[in-house]
Amino acid sequence: MFGITKSRKLSPFALIGNWQWEQVFDQTVHHMLWGMIVLAPLFWGGRGEIARLVYAILSAALVTIWLVRQWLSGRSEWNWSPVFWLPLLAVAWMVLQLIPMPSAVIEWFAPRTTELLPLWQDQAWLEQYGLTGWSTLSLDPVSGQVSMAMMLSCSLTMVVVFSRMRNETFANQIVLWIAQSGTFMAVFGLLQHLTAGGLFFWVYKYPFRVSDDYVCGSFINHNHFASFLVMSAGAIVYQLMMAVPASMKSLPVHGRHQSFTFDKATLTVVGWAASLAVTVLALIMSASRGAMLAAVAATLVLLAVYLKKRLIGVVPLVTTIIVAAVVVIGMSLQVDERFTDRLGDLTSGSIDAVDHDGARRAIWNANLQAISHGWLVGAGAGSHAMVYPAYLDRTHTKVFTHAENGYLQVATELGLPGIALLIAMGVTTVRWAIAAWKNCTTREQSALLGAVLAGIAASAVHSLTDFVWYIPATFTLLILLMAVLRYLAKGQDDHRKADTSTSRPSPDLALVAMCSIIVMGVILIRPALASSAMGAYLAASEADSWRQPLTLRDAAETGDLGKLEADESILVRKIEALRKVVSLDPSDSGAHMRLSRAYLQWFDLRAPVRENRMSLGHIQLAVADGGFTSPEQIESWLERAIGPDVAFLEAAEKHALRSLQLCPLQEMSYVCLASVAFLHDRPVEPLLAQADKLAPQDGNLLFEIGKRHMAVNNLEQAIEYWVRSCEHPGQHRFMVVASMAGNIPVNHYLTTFAPDWQTLRLVWKRYRDTADPESLAELLEYAEQRADEYDPASANVQEPYIWIWLAAMYKDVGNESHQIACLERAMDLNPTLVPVRKSYAVALLEAGKFNECESHFRWCLARDSTDRSLRQYLHKATSGKRRQEVVPSTATRVRSNRYQ
């Protein structure tokens, strides 16, 4: 369709006879770009299924209107540039990762697949479940498709912006929009943080997220919000520089007094100065340490350009820095201690202070291990969340959807080709920066160059500690800044030549663009339709997350495993939501896995209403010990034992299998299959070993594997996995306590599971009323040893509380001297903690030391006057003291031998 005319005189615009149509299409393209820069970030910064679809729709509409405008005008705005090879090759490599290949090719280019999926090399197992060997380079093809669709979206935006970037007016317009977007996001973020009460947009409760913790704007993560602000701050500075009146630009340092009038120009200066101040305040209140490092890098780049290009003098620069420092310090003093504490960690110079729990270092190390095992072809675009657990050296409660480092994630997912493309992009950027440095001779061009390089530097530095390249909002800003840098590098003469081109629009470009739009729609629409249902599931999960810790502790204290059952109403909500998700988006492997687990939970929850009341574990054990000789016999017995409820087990099997067909790295799906393997008389050991291979440091998974071994009477393997589970912190330890503590001798439990203070109090409660005195003495000796060895850095509990808990154990056995000695140890560690002082005073009161405890109760009341129990204790102390004065007590102060 693009070959109709050869000149503009024969264009459809000329035939229509209305030149305004071309202007309308130009303005529409500009409005689309403005919407992508300013409005699109309001959709969670581009994270989430609907947000991704919004960016894809905008890029599709942008390129479509741009192509139609060219067809109507008969003049092409697009010229091929070598830089377009980068997105083209990136998309091509992502496609290649998704194409099915022979097993020999997979083994040759991706030996890591064989290493991670040994079960998939077993033909007998594959035939049992109707599967074939894994045939793609990508280990998570569905996520790879989504990544490819977003790369297509960014590529289309890149083509339009790079092609239209032909004059300084358009470059200035783009930078102005970036400045407006940064200002708007900063103001929005601050207002939402201060007034929304934790809600997003004042009305929406985002699952597991709040807006009043740190300033985050419309972004799910405060770090990405801060990165967006830092990347736009250079554009704001540029607007401020250009808004300063010409007379002020040339004013000498010791010049004559200049009078000011509040005209439009002055108001513009004040407005952009206020915009910069608000952006800095929002950045500080985001408490993003990575963004602060990026801000430092951007500031250094900006100042280097401005100084070298002589846009500012040394004296004004020093004055500006001093004023800015005073302003920043002043704003910092007015914000919450949480912000200043996090920023203080950054200036401490200690990596342990910045990375408190070592989470980032752990995920970086896991990615380095993943790269070393699959450096040639990578694990597949978008596969990070599924791959990293196999290489993590210890469990973490946080799920790392990304690598917290853009460079490492590219290498992990795309392998050597991705690394090559990343290097090529870096080299290209440096070449453009050098060429732009030479070409920028005017003050306006130099100021623009400084703003652009500052934003690019901020993105490059922040990507060292976060995944800002994987956020559409921040990546779009990077594309725009790169387009401006390319314009400055090519020089105006080259752009004038391109602008006078009379070449016809390319039909090949139109064909590629339309195919890309179709591919994006096919891939992104289904997840977007299912996002509402997934949101309902996450909301139910959040409600369950508040209940679960209490039920776990209750089960651990009592040993009643029935307390671990899911809440029926919440579980029903989960199942209904997940059913809707998989019906709208059948390719969601995670939803299939969760639905499989939910069906198994629902089966156990229905046990009380079944005639025989057998749980899943009981049924597994009955089948294992039942002496059945064929699957038919098992099926017949199940029909009699559980009746129609066998459908829940079959549904769990179906969805677990579907999950593995979509992504073989769903380790929990293997556990679900093992849970129902008895339906067809299949072994569970290979399934559980495969799950262990994929996440060997996941404490919760290890507990579930041990639980399945226990269900088939593999006691030794169950204990082995539960011991490994207890080596990692987490709530799964409570389940080990509920299952084992109180059921085996004390010395056996201590030597086998080596409990620490996360579970020791629960272990004590399980044995306190049933164990003999010798066993309790052994447990107390062990607890005291763990208290002496306690490292506060390894947990979130201050050491004095450990000694309070130990004192409570001694109180349970009536050992008053050791109880007081433990509380004295707590007092030695930190006497300023009210709970410590109160516990010590209560122990003295119960020991009849009224004179000593009175002062401690008064001290506590002075710091917590709302505690009514303190007043009651103080009354008892003063009454007892008066009685002792009348009848002097012969009691002497009791101390433990350790303190004599």
Side-chain angles (χ1 to χ4, degrees), residues 169-218:
T169 301
F170 187 69
N172 286 329
Q173 187 70 66
I174 290 293
V175 175
L176 174 62
W177 290 340
I178 293 175
Q180 291 173 346
S181 181
T183 303
F184 173 69
M185 186 59 67
V187 173
F188 171 76
L190 288 171
L191 290 177
Q192 177 181 258
H193 175 77
L194 296 173
T195 64
L199 300 176
F200 283 84
F201 299 97
W202 289 270
V203 295
Y204 182 68
K205 173 67 176 70
Y206 198 99
F208 300 101
R209 301 281 180 173
V210 292
S211 64
D212 58 356
D213 196 359
Y214 301 107
V215 179
C216 58
S218 61

Side-chain angles (χ1 to χ4, degrees), residues 785-815:
Q785 179 184 350
R786 294 307 297 258
D788 285 326
E789 298 171 352
Y790 182 75
D791 180 12
S794 64
N796 295 324
V797 179
Q798 297 184 51
E799 188 173 359
Y801 292 105
I802 302 298
W803 291 97
I804 292 178
W805 297 342
L806 182 58
M809 294 180 184
Y810 278 117
K811 179 182 178 181
D812 288 339
V813 296
N815 193 331

Side-chain angles (χ1 to χ4, degrees), residues 367-400:
N367 275 267
L368 290 173
Q369 293 296 321
I371 293 168
S372 68
H373 285 78
W375 59 270
L376 184 58
V377 298
S383 65
H384 176 270
M386 302 307 305
V387 171
Y388 83 86
Y391 302 99
L392 207 61
D393 60 358
R394 59 189 178 92
T395 189
H396 283 276
T397 55
K398 179 181 179 181
V399 176
F400 296 96

Side-chain angles (χ1 to χ4, degrees), residues 471-644:
I471 306 302
T474 52
F475 193 69
T476 299
L477 288 190
L478 182 61
I479 291 174
L480 297 171
L481 294 173
M482 293 291 289
V484 177
L485 179 62
R486 177 175 175 267
Y487 162 77
L488 295 174
K490 289 186 67 175
Q492 292 193 15
D493 292 338
D494 289 343
H495 288 289
R496 288 194 187 100
K497 293 177 183 179
D499 200 37
T500 58
S501 171
T502 58
S503 61
R504 292 181 301 176
S506 169
D508 296 335
L509 176 62
L511 179 62
V512 170
M514 293 304 105
C515 290
S516 299
I517 292 172
I518 293 173
V519 170
M520 289 190 302
V522 170
I523 293 174
L524 298 178
I525 286 178
R526 280 185 173 274
L529 293 175
S531 64
S532 177
M534 181 55 74
Y537 167 79
L538 293 175
S541 298
E542 184 178 28
D544 198 30
S545 70
W546 292 102
R547 183 191 67 88
Q548 191 176 36
L550 299 177
T551 58
L552 284 172
R553 286 184 174 274
D554 195 11
E557 288 184 14
T558 62
D560 183 3
L561 298 180
K563 296 181 181 295
L564 295 176
E565 292 180 352
D567 180 90
E568 182 176 0
S569 62
I570 293 178
L571 185 58
V572 168
R573 287 166 54 194
K574 286 184 177 181
I575 292 177
E576 290 178 350
L578 289 172
R579 281 174 175 170
K580 189 172 182 180
V581 171
V582 298
S583 66
L584 294 173
D585 183 18
S587 63
D588 190 335
S589 65
H592 283 287
M593 180 272 292
R594 295 183 180 96
L595 186 54
S596 178
R597 295 192 68 188
Y599 276 130
L600 294 178
Q601 290 177 316
W602 181 245
F603 179 85
D604 272 341
L605 199 61
R606 284 183 52 82
V609 302
R610 286 195 291 268
E611 184 176 352
N612 58 22
R613 298 175 179 266
M614 294 178 71
S615 68
L616 178 60
H618 293 143
I619 293 174
Q620 286 179 283
L621 192 58
V623 172
D625 296 338
F628 298 103
T629 59
S630 67
E632 290 74 16
Q633 289 184 355
I634 297 174
E635 182 180 356
S636 176
W637 179 80
L638 287 173
E639 288 180 0
R640 297 192 303 271
I642 58 177

Side-chain angles (χ1 to χ4, degrees), residues 283-296:
L283 176 61
I284 293 173
M285 293 186 67
S286 72
S288 172
R289 293 165 296 196
M292 285 297 172
L293 290 175
V296 171

Side-chain angles (χ1 to χ4, degrees), residues 556 737 741-742 746 749-750 755-756 759-768 779:
V737 174
V746 170
Y749 188 91
L750 297 180
D756 61 13
T759 58
L760 258 176
R761 288 189 298 163
L762 299 175
V763 172
W764 170 259
K765 290 179 180 179
R766 292 298 309 280
Y767 286 106
R768 177 181 57 193
L779 182 51

Side-chain angles (χ1 to χ4, degrees), residues 729-749:
Q731 295 182 351
H732 53 270
R733 289 182 171 184
F734 299 146
M735 293 186 281
V736 173
V737 174
S739 301
M740 299 301 296
N743 297 322
I744 60 177
V746 170
N747 59 347
H748 187 195
Y749 188 91

